[in-house]
Amino acid sequence: MRDQISPDRSRLLVIGNGMAGMRTVEEVLKRDPTRYRVTVIGAEPHVNYNRILLSPVLAGEKTFDEIIINTRAWYEANSIDLIAGDAAISIDPAQKQVSTASGRVVSYDMLLLATGSNPFILPVPGKELPGVCAFRDLSDVEMMLSAAQRYTDAVVIGGGLLGLEAANGLAAQGMKVSVIHLMETLMERQLDPAAAKLLAEDLTQRGIDIITGAVTEALIGADRVQAVRLKDGRQIPADLVVMAAGIRPNMTLAQAAGLACNRGVIVNDGLQTSDPSIYAVGECTEHNGQMVGLVAPIWDQAKVCADHLTGKTTSAYRQIQPATRLKVTGIDMLSVGQFNGGEGCEDIILRDGSRGVYKRLVLKDDILVGAVLYGDAKDGGWYVDLLEKAAPLGDLRDTVIFGPGLTASGAADSGLADLPDTAEICGCNGVCKGTIMAAIADKGLTTLKEVKTNTKAAASCGSCSSKVEGLLALALGGDYEAKAVDSVCGCTDHSHEFVRAAIRDKALKTIPQVMQTLGWRTPGGCASCRPALNFYLLCAWPGEYQDDSRSRFINERAHANIQKDGTFSVIPRMWGGVTTSGELRAIADVVDKYEIPSVKVTGGQRIDLLGVKKEDLVAVWADLNAAGMVSGHAYGKALRTVKTCVGSEWCRFGTQDSTGMGIKLERMTWGSWHPHKVKLAVSGCPRNCAEATIKDFGVIAVDSGWELLIGGNGGIVLRGCDFLVKVTTEAEVLEYCAAFLQMYREEARYLERTAPWVERVGLASIKSRLLDDTENRQALAARFAYAQSFAQIDPWAERVGGLDANEFKPMLVEA
Amino acid sequence: MALWLDIGPAADVPSQGARKLHIAGRQIAVFRTAEGKFFALEDRCPHKQGPLSDGIVHGDCVTCPLHGWVINLASGTAQGADEGQVLKLAVALEGERLKLDIAALSAAAAE
Ligand code: SRM
Ligand SMILES: Cc1cc2nc3c(=O)[nH]c(=O)nc-3n(C[C@H](O)[C@H](O)[C@H](O)COP(=O)(O)OP(=O)(O)OC[C@H]3O[C@@H](n4cnc5c(N)ncnc54)[C@H](O)[C@@H]3O)c2cc1C
Ligand code: SF4
Ligand code: FES
């Protein structure tokens, strides 16, 4: 394309390689790709990325690569000169030149200012200490992530959108986080007090400390920040302080160049500054006294600005009321417009305390002018549409609070139906209605997930999910509703429960038979449904079903964990975490013999040999088998470890032989396959050194017997166990364990751990069937024992004996 | 020009499965679908070099074991919204044996 641009083209120079600047460039290229030679000066040393998604990067939900908007190749393909990592330091409007920090001087015909804003740093003592940062760009996120690895306490100053997203991210990274907020309620610019209270409760539940009405006085520390001192004298420990107390338009360059500025760089309806050759977009601007702080209005600015830059000077920028959503996974909220009411306004409010749902709609003269949704914001898009239409609600008024589902037919999607194909649905990824509708039609998409993978719509922050679902409903009509059940995967509309029942009732015994009988849409299923079906069949027909290794994830097929470099790790079973010199010697020998690069003690009380070549696996196992060791199933949706403590045999507090109990449990349960992994632990007293209270099945010894606990896990969402029952004999411990595990095997959905399963079916139901119904408990335990009679064969020994030999050796090795 | 290499009996590649080959310092994966079609790709996922031969084969696709990208075996292209291309080689069934055209390998190496 470069060749088509003659050197005497007009030069468009952009200062700021951020969201507003680059979106405007994209819009200019769309309108007239050859009009300008574009040069971009960006202070950050990167190509442009989606700043909104720094929050998921911080929370560990996305990588930096995933949030890049335009790669270097894109800049090259569009002949854009990117000067990255060099800030502009002055503009000379008379000479039409810009100078940069490194001494470059770049001339322009048209200049676009897109310098965004600067985080507001509270002017308190200690603000320069190491360990204090803002939350604005990638370097801030990098600093926070590295602090999270080394330190424990974080304080976020500011309880607005940015501050809370920072707090959530840091908590997800394992830090103990406190949020200090000046006002009495969180996000007071987007939430009314009622919704803010629910939000504070939800965040507190996640372990985030919320301190409102608090004035920060100083940051304390010598070489690094150590604490935050509040005006009331309280000191909050902090190894990291994130300032998220607001932003200020970055207009230093514009002011120095003599452009008209107030709180931001003043622009007219065409995004032109007081110098006709200089335009400005994004957070650095002020339009009719209004600033912008969200991307939706910025996309509008980009379009209008591009119109003007390419000669269409009739278009005018109009402010919209953008909706705010908090991007904290699991918290569903939306706020738009005059959510707090005011003169002449009326409220319609819905509260559902037990579901944690709160909705408030604000009407003025029968027109929707604001909304706050908390706990259930799936209809947010619909309300935003209503608000933008600004039409009197009329009859809709009676049911509007319940969302489009209850309103007159057609009303639900009329907003979407009316949108032109060019209307943007997903702001994060710039996907418009036409693209989504075409993908639904051409590729036969039927679920939100499919639309996400195929078009990237709703694949970033997800706030447009409801619109995408609306489009699906529009395209598929009545068919869509039927598909709303939690289907196993995109290959079928049936739920897990339906499929399991059919396997049982119709005596389906192979994967192809299930797919055939239940009308699978794809010929061979996919990587989601095949492992699920394999497990369901195995569980339903023990001893009879022929396991399909091709429907197992590589780890379960190769009986070792695949690593990022394609090698494997090997974890032999160590019954109850107990080992011997003989086992250790054999492990040491294997490590030497096969030059295994890494040996690690795992969190599950055993030893992990990492970096084993696939070709060596069978030989490694042969040597371990020879020393009496078997597979630890560390790779399986299977019984993993049974952790124990030393118990009464050695410990001065031990009340029972917890080690022995753990070994008995492991001997009974090893080799069993489950919907997800299963971990057990036995502690010898309530001090609970084996962490039995966060296991799928935990046992705590007390003087008078054993307390049995269920449904706990560490992991992504921490859940402490529920107390099941106290028993007195070892035989009872074993029976309850077997019965509980069998119930889980028979009922849970594939990839659902015991913790979410217990929450879904309810503790009461599980208790009544295990405790009150002795016969049922014994029958479950018997079914477990029966299944185990086929399952307890060491998979390593089988492979050492020659099973699946092809899996482990390459087909042809060329000399 | 094609450069056919005998890589062994077709029966050695399991249905809905794959086998690895090491050729000239490169890793190749030979796949067999449920319908009995054979395909060969370089054993390197375009995402982060995951071993595709260790993935689950379904329809004419394989799901990478590391992060779940789905690669079409016939074209070597990533499916859905992911973008990427895997080097594809031709395989032919001659009687009971499989032949692999490794010309693409030398061409790719020469690049
Ligand atoms: C090796 C080990 C870490 C270590 O070096 O200590 C480990 C390593 C892995 N864990 Fe773990 N987990 C290990 C103990 C744990 C523990 C601690 C424990 O068991 O007491 C936990 C928290 C307790 C729990 O499970 O409730 C734990 C919670 C997870 C989770 C989160 C599960 C959840 O329900 O949220 C995952 C992700 C998953 O399974 O989907 C995971 C997944 C993984 C995977 C399998 C990731 C993967 O898919 O590749 C890692 C495999 C590494 C490998 O190839 O060896 N690992 N993992 C530990 C093996 C124990 C063992 O001897 O078998
Ligand atoms: C963590 C986070 C989460 C957010 N979440 C949301 C959300 O969920 N929804 C939403 O709508 N908005 C959200 N926002 C706000 C949104 O990101 C901003 O409104 C948007 O990025 C503003 O675009 P901009 O181009 O004006 O500024 P920026 O994207 O900040 O771009 C400005 C660029 O100019 C560069 N620059 C500044 N001065 C110079 C100079 N002198 N020389 C060269 N380069 C310079 C800066 O380095 C920067 O790269 C979020 C912001 C953050 C920080
Ligand atoms: S071992 Fe567990 S905690 Fe560590 S990186 Fe892997 S999955 Fe994460
Ligand atoms: S390496 Fe294949 S999906 Fe990541």
Coordinates of all heavy atoms in Angstrom, one line a residue, chain A residues 82-156:
Chain A
L82 N 5.3 4.3 13.2 CA 5.1 4.3 14.7 C 6.4 4.6 15.4 O 7.4 3.9 15.3 CB 4.6 2.9 15.1 CG 4.4 2.8 16.7 CD1 3.4 3.8 17.2 CD2 4.0 1.4 17.0
I83 N 6.3 5.8 16.1 CA 7.5 6.1 16.9 C 7.0 5.8 18.3 O 6.4 6.6 19.0 CB 7.8 7.6 16.8 CG1 8.0 7.9 15.3 CG2 9.0 8.0 17.6 CD1 8.2 9.4 15.0
A84 N 7.4 4.6 18.8 CA 6.9 4.2 20.1 C 8.0 4.4 21.1 O 9.2 4.3 20.9 CB 6.5 2.7 20.1
G85 N 7.6 4.7 22.4 CA 8.6 4.9 23.4 C 9.3 6.2 23.4 O 10.4 6.4 23.9
D86 N 8.7 7.2 22.8 CA 9.3 8.5 22.7 C 8.1 9.5 22.8 O 7.2 9.5 22.0 CB 9.9 8.7 21.3 CG 10.8 9.9 21.2 OD1 11.0 10.6 22.3 OD2 11.3 10.2 20.1
A87 N 8.1 10.3 23.8 CA 7.0 11.3 24.1 C 7.2 12.6 23.3 O 8.3 13.0 23.1 CB 6.9 11.6 25.6
A88 N 6.1 13.1 22.8 CA 6.1 14.5 22.3 C 6.3 15.4 23.4 O 5.7 15.3 24.5 CB 4.8 14.7 21.5
I89 N 7.2 16.4 23.2 CA 7.4 17.4 24.3 C 7.0 18.8 23.9 O 6.8 19.6 24.8 CB 8.9 17.4 24.8 CG1 9.8 17.6 23.7 CG2 9.2 16.2 25.6 CD1 11.2 18.0 24.1
S90 N 6.8 19.1 22.7 CA 6.3 20.4 22.3 C 5.7 20.5 20.9 O 6.1 19.7 20.1 CB 7.4 21.5 22.5 OG 8.3 21.3 21.5
I91 N 4.7 21.4 20.8 CA 4.1 21.6 19.5 C 4.4 23.0 19.1 O 4.3 23.9 19.9 CB 2.6 21.4 19.6 CG1 2.2 20.1 20.2 CG2 1.9 21.6 18.2 CD1 0.7 20.0 20.5
D92 N 4.8 23.2 17.8 CA 5.0 24.5 17.3 C 3.9 24.7 16.2 O 4.1 24.3 15.0 CB 6.4 24.6 16.7 CG 6.7 26.1 16.2 OD1 5.7 26.8 16.0 OD2 7.8 26.4 16.0
P93 N 2.8 25.3 16.6 CA 1.7 25.4 15.6 C 2.0 26.3 14.4 O 1.5 26.1 13.3 CB 0.5 26.0 16.4 CG 1.0 25.9 17.9 CD 2.4 25.9 17.9
A94 N 2.9 27.3 14.6 CA 3.3 28.2 13.5 C 4.1 27.4 12.5 O 3.8 27.5 11.3 CB 4.1 29.3 14.1
Q95 N 5.1 26.6 12.9 CA 5.9 25.9 12.0 C 5.2 24.6 11.6 O 5.7 23.8 10.8 CB 7.3 25.6 12.6 CG 8.1 26.8 12.9 CD 8.5 27.5 11.7 OE1 8.9 26.9 10.7 NE2 8.4 28.8 11.7
K96 N 4.2 24.2 12.3 CA 3.5 22.9 12.2 C 4.5 21.8 12.4 O 4.8 20.9 11.5 CB 2.8 22.8 10.8 CG 1.6 23.7 10.6 CD 0.8 23.2 9.5 CE -0.6 23.8 9.5 NZ -1.5 23.3 8.5
Q97 N 5.1 21.8 13.6 CA 6.1 20.8 13.9 C 6.0 20.4 15.4 O 5.5 21.2 16.2 CB 7.5 21.4 13.8 CG 8.0 21.4 12.4 CD 9.4 22.0 12.2 OE1 9.9 22.7 13.1 NE2 10.0 21.8 11.1
V98 N 6.3 19.1 15.6 CA 6.3 18.6 16.9 C 7.7 18.0 17.3 O 8.3 17.3 16.5 CB 5.2 17.4 17.0 CG1 5.3 16.7 18.4 CG2 3.8 18.0 16.8
S99 N 8.1 18.3 18.5 CA 9.4 17.8 18.9 C 9.2 16.7 19.9 O 8.3 16.7 20.7 CB 10.3 18.8 19.6 OG 10.2 20.0 18.8
T100 N 10.1 15.7 19.9 CA 10.0 14.6 20.9 C 11.1 14.6 21.9 O 12.2 15.3 21.7 CB 10.0 13.2 20.2 OG1 11.3 12.9 19.7 CG2 9.0 13.2 19.0
A101 N 11.0 13.8 22.9 CA 12.0 13.7 24.0 C 13.3 13.3 23.5 O 14.4 13.8 23.9 CB 11.5 12.8 25.1
S102 N 13.3 12.4 22.4 CA 14.6 12.0 22.0 C 15.2 12.9 20.9 O 16.3 12.7 20.4 CB 14.5 10.6 21.3 OG 13.8 10.8 20.1
G103 N 14.5 14.1 20.7 CA 15.1 15.1 19.8 C 14.6 15.0 18.4 O 15.0 15.8 17.5
R104 N 13.6 14.1 18.1 CA 13.1 14.1 16.8 C 12.2 15.4 16.5 O 11.6 15.9 17.5 CB 12.1 12.9 16.6 CG 12.8 11.6 16.4 CD 11.7 10.6 15.9 NE 12.2 9.3 15.6 CZ 12.3 8.4 16.6 NH1 12.0 8.6 17.8 NH2 12.8 7.2 16.3
V105 N 12.2 15.8 15.3 CA 11.2 16.9 15.0 C 10.4 16.4 13.8 O 10.9 15.9 12.8 CB 12.0 18.2 14.5 CG1 11.0 19.2 14.1 CG2 12.8 18.7 15.7
V106 N 9.1 16.3 14.0 CA 8.2 15.8 13.0 C 7.2 16.9 12.5 O 6.6 17.5 13.3 CB 7.4 14.6 13.5 CG1 6.6 13.9 12.4 CG2 8.3 13.6 14.2
S107 N 7.2 17.1 11.2 CA 6.3 18.1 10.6 C 4.9 17.5 10.3 O 4.8 16.3 10.1 CB 6.8 18.6 9.3 OG 8.1 19.1 9.5
Y108 N 3.9 18.3 10.3 CA 2.6 17.8 10.0 C 1.8 18.8 9.2 O 2.1 20.0 9.1 CB 1.8 17.5 11.3 CG 1.5 18.7 12.2 CD1 0.4 19.5 11.9 CD2 2.3 19.0 13.3 CE1 0.2 20.7 12.7 CE2 2.1 20.1 14.1 CZ 1.0 20.9 13.8 OH 0.7 22.0 14.6
D109 N 0.8 18.2 8.5 CA -0.2 19.1 7.9 C -1.4 19.2 8.8 O -2.0 20.2 9.0 CB -0.6 18.6 6.5 CG 0.6 18.6 5.6 OD1 1.1 19.7 5.4 OD2 1.0 17.6 5.1
M110 N -1.8 18.0 9.3 CA -2.9 17.9 10.3 C -2.3 17.2 11.6 O -1.6 16.2 11.4 CB -4.0 17.1 9.8 CG -4.9 17.8 8.8 SD -5.7 19.1 9.6 CE -6.6 19.8 8.1
L111 N -2.7 17.7 12.7 CA -2.2 17.1 13.9 C -3.4 16.6 14.7 O -4.5 17.3 14.8 CB -1.5 18.2 14.8 CG -0.9 17.7 16.1 CD1 0.2 16.6 16.0 CD2 -0.3 18.9 16.9
L112 N -3.3 15.4 15.3 CA -4.4 14.9 16.1 C -3.8 14.6 17.5 O -2.8 13.9 17.7 CB -4.9 13.5 15.5 CG -5.9 12.8 16.4 CD1 -7.2 13.7 16.4 CD2 -6.2 11.5 15.8
L113 N -4.4 15.3 18.5 CA -4.0 15.1 19.9 C -4.8 14.0 20.5 O -6.1 14.1 20.5 CB -4.2 16.4 20.7 CG -3.2 17.5 20.5 CD1 -3.7 18.7 21.3 CD2 -1.8 17.0 21.0
A114 N -4.2 13.0 21.0 CA -4.9 11.9 21.7 C -4.1 11.5 22.9 O -3.7 10.3 23.0 CB -5.2 10.8 20.7
T115 N -3.8 12.4 23.7 CA -2.9 12.1 24.8 C -3.6 11.6 26.1 O -2.9 11.3 27.1 CB -2.1 13.4 25.2 OG1 -3.0 14.5 25.3 CG2 -1.1 13.8 24.1
G116 N -4.9 11.3 26.0 CA -5.5 10.7 27.1 C -5.5 11.5 28.4 O -5.6 12.7 28.4
S117 N -5.4 10.8 29.5 CA -5.3 11.5 30.8 C -4.3 10.9 31.7 O -3.7 9.9 31.4 CB -6.7 11.5 31.4 OG -7.2 10.2 31.5
N118 N -4.0 11.7 32.7 CA -3.0 11.2 33.7 C -3.7 10.8 35.0 O -4.7 11.5 35.3 CB -2.0 12.4 34.1 CG -1.2 12.7 32.9 OD1 -0.7 11.9 32.2 ND2 -0.9 14.0 32.7
P119 N -3.3 9.8 35.6 CA -3.9 9.4 36.9 C -3.6 10.5 37.9 O -2.6 11.2 37.9 CB -3.2 8.2 37.3 CG -2.2 7.9 36.3 CD -2.2 8.9 35.2
F120 N -4.6 10.8 38.7 CA -4.5 11.8 39.7 C -3.7 11.2 40.9 O -4.2 10.2 41.5 CB -5.8 12.4 40.2 CG -5.8 13.3 41.3 CD1 -5.0 14.5 41.1 CD2 -6.4 13.1 42.5 CE1 -5.0 15.4 42.2 CE2 -6.3 14.0 43.6 CZ -5.6 15.1 43.4
I121 N -2.6 11.7 41.3 CA -1.8 11.2 42.4 C -2.1 12.1 43.6 O -1.8 13.3 43.5 CB -0.3 11.2 42.1 CG1 -0.1 10.3 40.8 CG2 0.5 10.6 43.2 CD1 -0.4 8.9 40.9
L122 N -2.6 11.5 44.7 CA -2.9 12.4 45.9 C -1.7 13.1 46.3 O -0.6 12.4 46.5 CB -3.4 11.5 47.0 CG -4.8 10.8 46.9 CD1 -5.1 10.0 48.2 CD2 -5.8 11.8 46.6
P123 N -1.7 14.3 46.6 CA -0.5 15.1 47.1 C -0.3 14.8 48.5 O -0.3 15.7 49.3 CB -0.9 16.5 46.8 CG -2.4 16.5 46.9 CD -2.9 15.2 46.5
V124 N 0.0 13.6 48.9 CA 0.3 13.3 50.3 C 1.8 12.9 50.5 O 2.4 12.5 49.5 CB -0.6 12.1 50.8 CG1 -2.0 12.5 50.9 CG2 -0.4 10.9 49.9
P125 N 2.3 13.1 51.7 CA 3.7 12.7 51.9 C 3.9 11.2 51.6 O 3.0 10.4 51.9 CB 3.9 13.0 53.4 CG 2.8 13.9 53.8 CD 1.7 13.7 52.9
G126 N 5.0 10.9 51.0 CA 5.3 9.5 50.8 C 4.8 9.0 49.4 O 5.0 7.9 49.0
K127 N 4.2 9.9 48.6 CA 3.7 9.5 47.3 C 4.7 9.0 46.3 O 4.4 8.3 45.4 CB 2.8 10.5 46.7 CG 3.5 11.8 46.3 CD 2.5 12.7 45.7 CE 3.0 14.0 45.1 NZ 4.2 14.6 45.4
E128 N 6.0 9.4 46.6 CA 7.1 9.0 45.7 C 7.7 7.7 46.1 O 8.6 7.2 45.4 CB 8.2 10.1 45.6 CG 7.8 11.5 45.2 CD 7.3 12.3 46.4 OE1 7.3 11.8 47.5 OE2 6.8 13.4 46.1
L129 N 7.3 7.1 47.2 CA 8.0 5.9 47.7 C 7.8 4.8 46.6 O 6.8 4.6 46.0 CB 7.3 5.4 49.0 CG 7.7 6.2 50.2 CD1 6.8 5.7 51.4 CD2 9.1 5.9 50.6
P130 N 8.9 4.0 46.5 CA 8.8 2.8 45.7 C 7.6 1.9 46.2 O 7.4 1.9 47.5 CB 10.1 2.0 45.9 CG 11.0 3.1 46.3 CD 10.2 4.1 47.1
G131 N 6.9 1.3 45.3 CA 5.7 0.5 45.8 C 4.4 1.3 45.6 O 3.3 0.7 45.9
V132 N 4.5 2.5 45.2 CA 3.3 3.3 44.9 C 3.1 3.4 43.4 O 4.1 3.8 42.7 CB 3.4 4.7 45.5 CG1 2.1 5.5 45.3 CG2 3.7 4.6 47.0
C133 N 1.9 3.1 42.9 CA 1.7 3.2 41.5 C 0.3 3.6 41.2 O -0.5 3.7 42.1 CB 2.1 2.0 40.7 SG 1.0 0.6 41.0
A134 N 0.0 3.9 39.9 CA -1.3 4.2 39.4 C -1.8 3.0 38.7 O -1.2 1.9 38.7 CB -1.3 5.4 38.5
F135 N -3.0 3.1 38.1 CA -3.5 2.0 37.3 C -3.9 2.6 36.0 O -5.1 3.0 35.8 CB -4.7 1.3 38.0 CG -5.2 0.1 37.4 CD1 -4.5 -0.7 36.5 CD2 -6.5 -0.4 37.7 CE1 -5.0 -1.8 35.9 CE2 -7.0 -1.5 37.1 CZ -6.2 -2.2 36.2
R136 N -3.0 2.7 35.1 CA -3.3 3.4 33.8 C -2.8 2.6 32.6 O -3.4 2.4 31.6 CB -2.7 4.8 33.8 CG -3.0 5.6 32.5 CD -4.4 6.0 32.5 NE -4.8 6.4 31.1 CZ -6.1 6.7 30.8 NH1 -7.0 6.7 31.7 NH2 -6.4 7.0 29.5
D137 N -1.5 2.1 32.8 CA -0.9 1.5 31.6 C -0.3 0.2 31.9 O -0.2 -0.2 33.1 CB 0.0 2.4 30.8 CG 1.1 2.9 31.7 OD1 1.5 2.2 32.6 OD2 1.6 4.0 31.4
L138 N 0.3 -0.4 30.9 CA 0.9 -1.8 31.1 C 2.0 -1.8 32.1 O 2.1 -2.7 32.9 CB 1.4 -2.3 29.8 CG 1.9 -3.7 29.8 CD1 0.7 -4.7 30.1 CD2 2.5 -4.1 28.5
S139 N 2.7 -0.7 32.2 CA 3.8 -0.7 33.1 C 3.3 -0.7 34.6 O 3.9 -1.4 35.5 CB 4.8 0.5 32.9 OG 4.1 1.7 33.2
D140 N 2.2 -0.1 34.8 CA 1.5 -0.2 36.1 C 1.2 -1.6 36.5 O 1.4 -2.1 37.6 CB 0.3 0.7 36.2 CG 0.6 2.2 36.0 OD1 1.7 2.6 36.5 OD2 -0.2 2.9 35.4
V141 N 0.6 -2.3 35.5 CA 0.1 -3.7 35.7 C 1.3 -4.5 36.0 O 1.3 -5.4 36.9 CB -0.7 -4.2 34.5 CG1 -1.0 -5.6 34.6 CG2 -2.0 -3.4 34.4
E142 N 2.4 -4.3 35.2 CA 3.6 -5.1 35.4 C 4.1 -4.9 36.8 O 4.5 -5.9 37.5 CB 4.6 -4.8 34.4 CG 4.3 -5.5 33.0 CD 5.2 -5.0 31.9 OE1 5.9 -3.9 32.1 OE2 5.1 -5.6 30.8
M143 N 4.1 -3.7 37.3 CA 4.6 -3.4 38.6 C 3.7 -4.1 39.7 O 4.2 -4.7 40.6 CB 4.6 -1.9 38.8 CG 4.4 -1.5 40.2 SD 5.4 -0.1 40.7 CE 5.2 -0.1 42.4
M144 N 2.4 -4.0 39.5 CA 1.5 -4.7 40.4 C 1.7 -6.2 40.4 O 1.7 -6.8 41.5 CB 0.0 -4.4 40.1 CG -0.3 -2.9 40.4 SD -2.1 -2.7 40.2 CE -2.2 -1.6 38.9
L145 N 1.8 -6.8 39.3 CA 2.0 -8.2 39.2 C 3.3 -8.7 39.9 O 3.3 -9.7 40.6 CB 2.0 -8.7 37.8 CG 0.6 -8.7 37.1 CD1 0.7 -9.1 35.6 CD2 -0.4 -9.6 37.8
S146 N 4.3 -7.9 39.7 CA 5.6 -8.3 40.3 C 5.5 -8.1 41.9 O 6.0 -8.9 42.6 CB 6.8 -7.6 39.7 OG 7.0 -6.4 40.3
A147 N 4.8 -7.0 42.3 CA 4.6 -6.8 43.7 C 3.8 -8.0 44.3 O 4.1 -8.5 45.4 CB 3.9 -5.5 44.0
A148 N 2.8 -8.4 43.6 CA 1.9 -9.5 44.1 C 2.7 -10.8 44.3 O 2.4 -11.6 45.1 CB 0.8 -9.8 43.1
Q149 N 3.8 -10.9 43.5 CA 4.6 -12.2 43.7 C 5.4 -12.1 44.9 O 5.7 -13.1 45.5 CB 5.5 -12.3 42.5 CG 4.8 -12.7 41.3 CD 5.7 -13.4 40.2 OE1 6.9 -13.2 40.3 NE2 5.1 -14.1 39.3
R150 N 5.8 -10.9 45.3 CA 6.8 -10.8 46.4 C 6.1 -10.4 47.8 O 6.7 -10.6 48.8 CB 7.9 -9.8 46.1 CG 9.2 -10.6 45.6 CD 10.2 -9.6 45.1 NE 9.7 -9.0 43.8 CZ 10.1 -7.9 43.4 NH1 11.0 -7.2 44.0 NH2 9.7 -7.4 42.2
Y151 N 5.0 -9.6 47.7 CA 4.5 -9.0 48.9 C 3.1 -9.5 49.2 O 2.5 -10.1 48.3 CB 4.5 -7.5 48.8 CG 5.9 -7.0 48.5 CD1 6.3 -6.6 47.3 CD2 6.8 -6.9 49.6 CE1 7.6 -6.1 47.0 CE2 8.1 -6.4 49.3 CZ 8.5 -6.0 48.0 OH 9.7 -5.5 47.8
T152 N 2.6 -9.2 50.4 CA 1.2 -9.6 50.7 C 0.2 -8.6 50.8 O -0.9 -8.8 50.4 CB 1.3 -10.3 52.1 OG1 2.0 -9.5 53.0 CG2 1.9 -11.7 52.0
D153 N 0.5 -7.4 51.3 CA -0.6 -6.4 51.6 C -0.6 -5.3 50.5 O 0.4 -4.7 50.2 CB -0.3 -5.7 52.9 CG -0.5 -6.7 54.1 OD1 -1.5 -7.3 54.2 OD2 0.5 -6.9 54.8
A154 N -1.8 -5.1 50.0 CA -2.0 -4.0 49.0 C -3.1 -3.1 49.5 O -4.1 -3.6 50.1 CB -2.4 -4.6 47.7
V155 N -2.9 -1.8 49.2 CA -4.0 -0.9 49.5 C -4.3 -0.2 48.2 O -3.4 0.3 47.5 CB -3.6 0.1 50.6 CG1 -4.6 1.3 50.6 CG2 -3.6 -0.5 52.0
V156 N -5.6 -0.1 47.9 CA -6.0 0.7 46.7 C -6.7 1.9 47.2 O -7.6 1.8 48.0 CB -7.0 -0.1 45.8 CG1 -7.5 0.7 44.7 CG2 -6.3 -1.4 45.3

